[in-house]
Amino acid sequence: MAKGYWVCTGTIHTPLGMVPYISKFTAWLATVNARILIRDLSSDVREGSPGTVNVIVEFDSKENAIDAYESEGYQELIKLRTPYSELSLTITEELNE
């Protein structure tokens, strides 16, 4: 089965405001069997304007990634993040050839 991913890009406006989100998000990942593959807060952006934050989170499948995003637990976490950041999140899956 193909793995699922959250691809997150954007900007953090108030880094200290993100501390509660980051600590709770990190603990929450274990509850949905996910892990952070990439976390770069100062990416070298060469094209476009996605912001300098890049995070990729891996899940067992795209369905798991969707379920995790739609979960009550993550919906509550979004409320901790949005006042301090402007991020986009795309759910996708790996290429299996």
Side-chain angles (χ1 to χ4, degrees):
M1 178 180 288
K3 299 234 182 220
Y5 299 91
W6 287 3
V7 179
C8 308
T9 60
T11 304
I12 294 174
H13 302 294
T14 311
L16 287 177
M18 291 289 287
V19 172
Y21 169 80
I22 292 168
S23 66
K24 289 182 180 193
F25 176 71
T26 303
W28 174 81
L29 287 174
T31 70
V32 293
N33 198 30
R35 67 185 184 111
I36 295 174
L37 292 181
I38 295 170
R39 178 176 47 212
D40 188 347
L41 304 179
S42 59
S43 298
D44 180 1
V45 177
R46 298 295 173 109
E47 294 186 30
S49 54
T52 59
V53 173
N54 283 285
V55 178
I56 297 178
V57 180
E58 181 182 68
F59 295 83
D60 290 337
S61 67
K62 185 175 182 180
E63 182 178 293
N64 287 80
I66 291 168
D67 290 345
Y69 182 83
E70 293 176 350
S71 72
E72 185 178 325
Y74 190 69
Q75 293 303 304
E76 289 299 315
L77 288 173
I78 291 173
K79 295 174 188 175
L80 296 176
R81 173 179 55 79
T82 54
Y84 309 107
S85 65
E86 189 172 320
L87 301 175
S88 67
L89 187 150
T90 302
I91 300 174
T92 190
E93 68 183 348
E94 72 181 330
L95 175 64
N96 279 337
E97 292 186 24

